[in-house]
């Protein structure tokens, strides 16, 4: 699937993918069209299996996923949702989440997909930025009661009858519906009641709405931490999302009928495209786990004959430490990298080579350069792949924006058919350069073969366990921690997580601070994956701060690494 044109001018670091028109295997380029087309192809086959909160195992065929999506679309239509209007979706990996996303698309709306890791501090920001008019959410995730959280954020939600909400804090939010609730709570309806409200809507009306949606219309709003500290709203067109959904099965070398286990949140673009899209496009089944529990995950893989394990490296060690790992029958597991430690499980036999040579961002709805699965190691080398079809890649001087010669290091810039429509609240001309390229803030170079070599971030974003984490966001929180004088967070290389989130702190004189206290303070405002894994304490003299109380990030990263690994 991956093709490219070699660099023709050695004085300019510009690489091109093959024209999009030459890419095979694509289908309908709207989310509604995608789910309709895969349903037409695979109707009675199993699309997903999930364990409900009551412990019952539930299986949905493609036909059932379609009917559930249409039911959501009918309910949204009954609520008067307009074209492009945003529907917030706050759920773990479950069939209802997928039905909500596809149903929103069929009704003509835009799905704003929110992270279940969100704290109240983060949820307030996400609801405000997304400007969603309807919120569909899961009541409880582990110890989080999102209904209670929402009422705390906006008391009117708890004191208003359904469909009568007027909120000053969230002025566009007018209706809410929750999964797993026994009874309505103020303005919050239960899921069955929400769906029932669409019973009188004709399927023909949903079909008519879906036909008005074009590939260039807004499809989804995902969120990613950026250099400004708070999560950015990244708006993607239907075409960009569905291109990645169609192509990722072939990119990963997945078999027809693949059975994919995953517990990674579908509110991140990579998981949505590479697990949901790839599996459904291949007529496979998603083996869903709402919250990652290693022993339960192993049981699910064995029981459901999983053939593809979609997990981040930091989860591998937890799976291998599970008490049932060595004894489980995982003989159906074909798509495990031949060099992965997971491949040593007694029942796994594999010759699959993971497509690890790749690079992408939420702004390009995951991968923009890659080599496909089973590419020989010597072909990929240390690179991060070739531009995917339709993409143009260039390396520029970070200060001047001028294209640098081939092999010279600079900033990675990208444009192509999966590039975002823009950041919510940011003018597009503030995001793209004069030629329409997105300046990623990442550093690297390309060689004469057009291969990208990514070498890290110029803007200091930490990539840990597959998620982007802003050190600015963390430091904004930690500076309010009693006893903290200076906080500067960095990413330290880590074999398991990619980078370890490490907070480097100068305490006030006489303050009684320890690592556990700082981490406990952070947990009140930050999602779990953003809480520093390690907290280091230094004197001002040791850090040699500048006049602005800042430390050079590269120097601090080196100091932190040496402190952790003397």
């Amino acid at each position: 699937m991956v093709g490219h044109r070699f660099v023709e001018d050695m004085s300019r670091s510009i690489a091109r993918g093959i024209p999009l028109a030459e890419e095979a295997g694509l289908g309908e380029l709207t989310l509604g069209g995608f789910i309709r087309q895969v349903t037409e192809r695979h109707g009675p086959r199993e699309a997903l299996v999930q364990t409900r909160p009551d412990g019952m195992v539930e299986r949905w065929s493609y036909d059932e996923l379609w009917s559930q999506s249409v039911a959501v679309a009918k309910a949204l239509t009954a609520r008067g949702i307009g074209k492009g209007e945003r529907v917030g979706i706050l759920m773990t990996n479950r069939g209802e989440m997928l039905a909500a996303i596809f149903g929103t698309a069929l009704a003509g709306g835009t799905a704003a997909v929110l992270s279940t890791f969100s704290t109240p501090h983060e949820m307030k920001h996400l609801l405000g930025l997304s400007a969603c008019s309807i919120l569909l959410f899961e009541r409880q995730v582990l110890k989080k009661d999102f209904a209670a959280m929402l009422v705390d954020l906006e008391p009117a939600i708890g004191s208003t009858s359904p469909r009568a909400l007027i909120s000053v804090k969230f002025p566009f939010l007018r209706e809410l519906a929750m999964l797993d609730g026994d009874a309505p709570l103020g303005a919050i309806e239960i899921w069955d009641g929400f769906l029932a409200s669409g019973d009188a809507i004709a399927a023909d009306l949903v079909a008519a709405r879906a036909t008005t949606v074009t590939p260039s219309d807004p499809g989804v709003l995902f969120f990613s931490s950026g250099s400004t500290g708070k999560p950015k709203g990244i708006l993607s067109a239907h075409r960009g999302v569905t291109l990645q959904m169609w192509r990722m099965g072939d990119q990963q070398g997945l078999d027809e009928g693949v059975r994919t286990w995953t517990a990674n949140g579908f509110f991140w673009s990579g998981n949505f495209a590479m697990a949901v899209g790839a599996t459904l496009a291949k007529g496979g089944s998603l083996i869903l786990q709402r919250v990652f529990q290693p022993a339960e995950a192993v049981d699910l893989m064995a029981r459901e004959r999983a053939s593809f394990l979609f997990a981040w490296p930091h989860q591998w060690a937890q799976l291998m430490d599970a008490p049932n790992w060595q004894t489980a029958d995982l003989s159906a597991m074909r798509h495990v990298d031949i060099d992965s430690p997971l491949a040593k499980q007694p029942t796994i036999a594999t010759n699959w080579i993971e497509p690890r040579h790749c690079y992408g961002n939420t702004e390009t709805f995951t991968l923009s350069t890659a080599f496909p699965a089973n590419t020989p190691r010597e072909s990929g080398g240390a690179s991060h792949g070739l531009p995917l079809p339709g993409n143009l890649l260039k390396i520029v001087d970070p200060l001047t924006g001028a294209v640098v010669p081939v092999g010279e290091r600079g900033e990675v810039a990208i444009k192509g058919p999966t590039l975002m429509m823009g950041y919510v609240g940011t003018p597009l001309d503030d995001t793209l350069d004069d030629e329409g390229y997105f300046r990623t803030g990442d550093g690297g170079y390309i060689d004469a073969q057009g291969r990208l070599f990514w070498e890290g971030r110029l803007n200091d974003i930490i990539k840990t366990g597959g998620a982007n984490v802003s050190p600015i966001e963390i430091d904004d929180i930690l500076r309010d921690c009693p006893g903290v004088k200076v906080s500067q967070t960095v990413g330290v290389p880590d074999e398991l997580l990619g980078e370890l989130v490490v907070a480097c702190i100068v305490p006030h004189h006489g303050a009684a601070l320890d690592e556990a206290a700082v981490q406990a303070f952070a947990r009140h405002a930050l999602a779990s994956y953003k809480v520093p894994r390690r907290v280091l304490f230094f004197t001002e003299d040791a850090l040699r701060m500048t006049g602005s109380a800042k430390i050079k990030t590269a120097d601090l990263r080196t100091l932190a690494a040496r402190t952790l690994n003397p």
Side-chain angles (χ1 to χ4, degrees):
M1 183 271 291
V2 177
H4 73 296
R5 294 175 178 171
F6 292 100
V7 174
E8 298 175 355
D9 182 353
M10 297 296 289
S11 68
R12 289 171 59 81
S13 288
I14 299 178
R16 301 173 182 268
I18 63 170
L20 187 61
E22 297 179 14
E23 183 174 5
L26 301 180
E28 295 282 348
L29 296 181
T30 64
L31 283 158
F34 176 90
I35 190 61
R36 177 183 53 76
Q37 194 165 18
V38 297
T39 299
E40 290 171 350
R41 292 178 181 178
H42 311 297
R45 295 173 65 171
E46 182 182 282
L48 63 91
V49 56
Q50 61 185 353
T51 303
R52 297 188 333 210
D54 62 8
M56 296 293 292
V57 175
E58 188 173 53
R59 301 179 189 276
W60 291 12
S61 67
Y62 281 79
D63 288 330
E64 288 166 323
L65 177 55
W66 168 260
S67 67
Q68 290 289 328
S69 301
V70 171
V72 172
K74 286 182 175 182
L76 292 173
T77 300
R79 306 307 172 95
I81 187 174
K83 186 172 180 181
E85 198 168 351
R86 293 176 191 158
V87 177
I89 299 169
L90 175 66
M91 300 182 192
T92 55
N93 293 0
R94 53 193 298 174
E96 293 88 347
M97 181 192 192
L98 300 182
I101 293 173
F102 290 125
T104 298
L106 288 168
T110 301
V113 190
L114 313 180
S115 170
T116 57
F117 286 109
S118 300
T119 64
H121 176 83
E122 294 163 327
M123 185 57 58
K124 180 180 178 181
H125 171 72
L126 294 177
L127 285 176
L129 186 62
S130 67
C132 58
S133 56
I134 298 176
L135 178 63
L136 309 178
F137 70 97
E138 188 170 345
R139 172 151 197 173
Q140 189 135 7
V141 179
L142 295 177
K143 296 181 180 180
K144 289 181 181 175
D145 184 333
F146 281 112
M149 181 188 295
L150 291 164
V151 171
D152 285 343
L153 288 174
E154 172 52 278
I157 291 174
S159 60
T160 305
S161 60
R163 307 184 72 171
L165 176 65
I166 297 176
S167 169
V168 174
K169 292 183 179 178
F170 308 115
F172 295 97
L173 183 62
R174 63 177 187 264
E175 298 184 47
L176 304 93
M178 65 179 169
L179 279 166
D180 307 332
D182 295 328
L185 174 63
I188 304 171
E189 295 185 84
I190 61 172
W191 189 251
D192 288 346
F194 166 72
L195 294 182
S197 70
D199 287 348
I201 301 296
D204 286 350
L205 180 56
V206 171
R209 280 176 165 250
T211 59
T212 71
V213 179
T214 71
S216 62
D217 285 335
V220 297
L221 178 63
F222 275 62
F223 294 87
S224 177
S225 292
S227 58
T228 59
K230 293 182 178 180
K232 293 181 178 180
I234 300 170
L235 191 63
S236 293
H238 283 268
R239 184 176 79 148
V241 177
T242 51
L243 277 173
Q244 300 288 42
M245 294 175 76
W246 286 118
R247 66 173 44 148
M248 285 302 145
D250 288 338
Q251 166 63 26
Q252 296 174 104
L254 302 182
D255 297 326
E256 290 292 325
V258 62
R259 297 185 63 79
T260 302
W261 168 85
T262 187
N264 292 333
F266 296 154
F267 42 76
W268 282 320
S269 64
N271 300 332
F272 190 80
M274 299 168 76
V276 175
T279 302
L280 298 183
K282 287 291 185 179
S285 180
L286 292 158
I287 303 165
L288 300 178
Q289 187 178 25
R290 294 173 60 231
V291 177
F292 179 57
Q293 302 288 353
E296 178 186 81
V298 175
D299 284 341
L300 279 172
M301 293 177 209
R303 185 190 78 196
E304 297 297 333
R305 304 293 292 164
S307 58
F308 179 34
L309 186 160
F310 189 80
W312 295 110
H314 71 282
Q315 295 169 321
W316 296 353
Q318 297 177 67
L319 290 170
M320 291 186 294
D321 286 342
N324 50 349
W325 174 254
Q326 289 294 324
T327 57
D329 179 2
L330 302 179
S331 56
M333 193 68 73
R334 163 169 153 65
H335 300 293
V336 173
D337 188 85
I338 192 170
D339 293 329
S340 165
L342 299 175
K344 297 177 182 179
Q345 203 272 354
T347 65
I348 293 178
T350 178
N351 59 3
W352 185 69
I353 300 176
E354 180 186 8
R356 65 177 61 171
H357 301 282
C358 57
Y359 167 80
N361 315 85
T362 306
E363 288 84 353
T364 54
F365 211 81
T366 194
L367 304 186
S368 51
T369 69
F371 279 114
N374 299 314
T375 297
R377 302 285 192 224
E378 57 271 19
S379 298
S383 81
H384 292 78
L386 302 165
L388 294 183
N391 284 348
L392 284 86
L393 176 76
K394 66 179 180 179
I395 307 297
V396 301
D397 183 292
L399 297 179
T400 67
V403 179
V404 302
V406 170
E408 186 172 315
R409 289 166 170 79
E411 182 178 3
V412 179
I414 186 82
K415 69 176 177 179
T418 71
L419 184 61
M420 65 177 178
M421 302 179 77
Y423 294 119
V424 173
T426 302
L428 194 58
D429 59 355
D430 285 354
T431 303
L432 308 181
D433 70 11
D434 292 341
E435 296 179 329
Y437 284 83
F438 169 62
R439 297 273 293 269
T440 65
D442 289 336
Y445 65 94
I446 60 174
D447 65 7
Q449 298 178 49
R451 300 183 301 179
L452 172 67
F453 291 76
W454 173 74
E455 295 187 317
R457 287 163 302 286
L458 301 175
N459 57 7
D460 298 326
I461 290 297
I462 301 167
K463 187 148 191 162
T464 181
N468 289 338
V469 174
S470 166
I472 295 175
E473 180 185 14
I474 296 171
D475 291 329
D476 282 345
I477 297 299
L478 293 186
R479 289 182 189 120
D480 290 332
C481 178
V484 171
K485 181 178 182 180
V486 175
S487 172
Q488 190 162 339
T489 301
V490 295
V492 173
D494 181 77
E495 185 174 345
L496 194 61
L497 293 169
E499 286 185 306
L500 203 66
V501 179
V502 179
C504 300
I505 286 175
V506 175
H508 284 288
H509 179 71
L513 272 180
D514 59 24
E515 183 174 63
V518 174
Q519 290 169 329
F521 182 87
R523 286 191 188 98
H524 288 295
L526 296 170
S528 57
Y529 66 91
K530 300 177 185 177
V531 174
R533 294 294 185 106
R534 295 301 310 272
V535 179
L536 304 178
F537 296 93
F538 299 95
T539 64
E540 293 186 53
D541 290 341
L543 293 188
R544 297 188 297 277
M545 290 179 290
T546 66
S548 61
K550 291 284 287 182
I551 310 100
K552 290 184 178 180
T553 301
D555 293 344
L556 183 57
R557 188 180 293 116
T558 299
L559 176 60
R562 288 176 179 169
T563 303
L564 292 172
N565 301 289

